[in-house]
Amino acid sequence: MTDAEVAECLARGRDGDEKAILELFHYMYPHVAKLVQANLPAKESAEDLIQKVCIKVMSHLNQFSGKVPFLHWVSRIAVNTCLNQIRHEKRRPEIRLADLSENEANVVEHLATAPDELDASQKMAASELVEKLLASLKPADRLLMKLMYLDGHNVQEIASLTGWSRTLIKVRAFRARAHLRQHYTLLMKETT
């Protein structure tokens, strides 16, 4: 969909044209789904959160000023909705070796002795371990680490998505990395 087509759909959608709203929905849905899946809170269904984001967008179409691209505006709503949902979830602040599955514990032990090579099951367990380590972070820090390291966004892109300043992003990233390093170090000590 071109920018002109989006602008035309927005104008018709604001006037209550259901076909235009449906076109906007189909246009933004893949983008919203990708963002929600990347920032999905642990206890929330992806489809439920995607629907929540889409409803927020459609119910606030009249607030879209057009100063930024439509999908950028949608991205901010999606990221903020995920952040708000994460805040509502209560998570344990730390991870212990006993909290890990047998495969995840094996990965930690394997990394302590031979960090270079992992087989397929160990890679899957490592991915789950990363998720558990990320879950130990505050919601905003968890989102930042996912955006920065798992999705590969740079500081400027993260600032655009979240509305945070570049300085805040750098400070949060530094503190989050220190927190993750501390939890990982504790896990490694438990294996020896």
Side-chain angles (χ1 to χ4, degrees):
M1 197 179 265
T2 66
D3 290 342
E5 292 171 328
V6 170
E8 190 237 326
C9 275
L10 282 167
R12 289 185 6 238
R14 287 180 182 137
D15 291 335
D17 183 343
E18 291 182 19
K19 185 178 179 191
I21 291 173
L22 190 59
E23 287 176 30
L24 285 172
F25 174 79
H26 288 298
Y27 173 64
M28 73 176 184
Y29 185 87
H31 185 72
V32 170
K34 181 180 174 188
L35 283 170
V36 167
Q37 302 246 338
N39 302 298
L40 183 66
K43 296 178 185 174
E44 185 73 23
S45 159
E47 193 58 40
D48 290 344
L49 205 53
I50 291 168
Q51 287 179 9
K52 190 182 289 187
V53 169
C54 290
I55 289 169
K56 279 185 181 182
V57 168
M58 293 307 170
S59 64
H60 294 94
L61 278 181
N62 59 344
Q63 294 178 1
F64 177 65
S65 66
K67 293 179 183 176
V68 296
F70 179 67
L71 286 182
H72 176 80
W73 182 70
V74 170
S75 296
R76 297 236 7 217
I77 292 172
V79 168
N80 286 330
T81 302
C82 288
L83 269 176
N84 290 338
Q85 189 62 41
I86 290 169
R87 283 186 191 112
H88 291 312
E89 293 184 7
K90 294 190 179 184
R91 309 281 294 180
R92 285 178 58 187
E94 62 181 59
I95 300 172
R96 293 186 178 89
L97 193 59
D99 295 335
L100 303 178
S101 69
E102 185 177 334
N103 281 342
E104 291 167 344
N106 288 340
V107 167
V108 171
E109 291 173 18
H110 184 75
L111 288 174
T113 56
D116 297 334
E117 305 233 354
L118 296 175
D119 63 32
S121 68
Q122 288 174 324
K123 285 181 183 177
M124 178 69 119
S127 176
E128 292 170 5
L129 177 60
V130 166
E131 286 298 320
K132 284 189 178 184
L133 285 169
L134 286 173
S136 72
L137 294 172
K138 293 177 185 174
D141 293 344
R142 179 170 54 237
L143 173 65
L144 176 60
M145 291 292 100
K146 285 182 176 184
L147 289 172
M148 189 175 281
Y149 295 107
L150 299 180
D151 297 345
H153 292 289
N154 63 34
V155 173
Q156 185 58 45
E157 292 169 337
I158 295 169
S160 294
L161 285 171
T162 61
W164 299 333
S165 71
R166 294 169 55 91
T167 304
L168 177 63
I169 291 169
K170 290 176 183 179
V171 169
R172 272 197 172 140
F174 176 79
R175 289 179 180 162
R177 285 190 301 266
H179 180 85
L180 290 172
R181 206 172 12 258
Q182 179 184 19
H183 279 285
Y184 181 74
T185 302
L186 288 172
L187 285 173
M188 295 304 279
K189 284 181 182 175
E190 287 184 35
T191 63
T192 57

